[in-house]
Amino acid sequence: MKNLKSKKQNTLTLVLFAIYLLALTWLILFKLQFSIPDMYGERVINPIPFLGSFCDSGMIQFSEIRNNILVFIPFGIYLCMLKTPWPFVKKLLAIAGLAFAFEIIQFIFAIGRADITDVLSNTLGGIIGIGIYALLAKALKGRTNKVINVLAAVFTILAILLVILLLISHRWVMIT
């Protein structure tokens, strides 16, 4: 009975993780656009950390860095849920690898600016996710994945509803 519950939890985690990865891809690669022509075609690579983060007034735009950190926090959490036995370094490499892959894809398809700052901030977000999972695991003991799955399911449903509203409003704008 306990093994069946554990298997259902793991399946739910995998489904939520897949939805998260789809949303992350839509966000990072497609910039939340509904059609590819809406995206700008730019093939730029920035290998210098924080260089692309400055606005016209010379100040660092921390909002972009913060957002890049925030969107990768769930990746670190899901990685811990799905790959508990992996050592920290292996999880870190998976996080940095995904962040780097997104930047390479952006460069290859000219759908954004490939920026080392994004890789660094995404990786930091994943590390924060690993830390959050570790804290929750200490506080919640054996219920950690169950609690995270419930919270993730609620946020996923809310996000899907938001996307539906955006699609409806986008369609409404196209009609009028």
Side-chain angles (χ1 to χ4, degrees):
M1 182 72 163
K2 187 175 183 176
N3 195 17
L4 182 63
K5 276 187 173 182
S6 177
K7 196 170 188 164
K8 283 183 179 180
Q9 276 296 328
N10 200 35
T11 301
L12 177 59
T13 303
L14 284 169
V15 168
L16 291 169
F17 182 56
I19 293 169
Y20 163 74
L21 286 177
L22 287 172
L24 187 65
T25 301
W26 183 42
L27 174 68
I28 292 177
L29 296 182
F30 302 107
K31 312 300 185 230
L32 300 177
Q33 297 298 317
F34 293 107
S35 66
I36 292 176
D38 289 341
M39 297 169 26
Y40 56 92
E42 181 179 32
R43 186 170 282 127
V44 176
I45 189 164
N46 175 27
I48 302 169
F50 305 107
L51 181 65
S53 301
F54 287 94
C55 62
D56 294 336
S57 65
M59 301 293 291
I60 291 182
Q61 293 178 312
F62 287 107
S63 62
E64 183 182 346
I65 295 169
R66 179 197 65 226
N67 292 341
N68 281 328
I69 291 169
L70 290 175
V71 299
F72 258 73
I73 289 174
F75 187 73
I77 293 170
Y78 280 122
L79 203 55
C80 290
M81 292 172 72
L82 295 168
K83 299 295 182 183
T84 304
W86 279 12
F88 174 79
V89 172
K90 195 169 185 179
K91 292 173 186 171
L92 176 65
L93 290 173
I95 293 164
L98 180 64
F100 191 66
F102 276 134
E103 296 305 310
I104 290 171
I105 292 167
Q106 284 183 29
F107 180 76
I108 290 171
F109 293 105
I111 53 175
R113 188 182 71 220
D115 194 335
I116 192 67
T117 305
D118 293 349
V119 174
L120 295 172
S121 55
N122 291 158
T123 302
L124 177 59
I127 292 168
I128 291 170
I130 291 171
I132 289 171
Y133 184 86
L135 291 172
L136 289 172
K138 285 185 187 262
L140 300 172
K141 308 286 186 226
R143 300 177 306 138
T144 308
N145 287 9
K146 183 177 183 176
V147 170
I148 292 173
N149 274 338
V150 168
L151 290 172
V154 168
F155 282 112
T156 300
I157 290 167
L158 291 173
I160 289 170
L161 291 173
L162 177 64
V163 168
I164 290 169
L165 286 172
L166 288 172
L167 286 170
I168 291 169
S169 68
H170 180 72
R171 174 164 247 131
W172 178 254
V173 169
M174 297 290 287
I175 293 171
T176 56

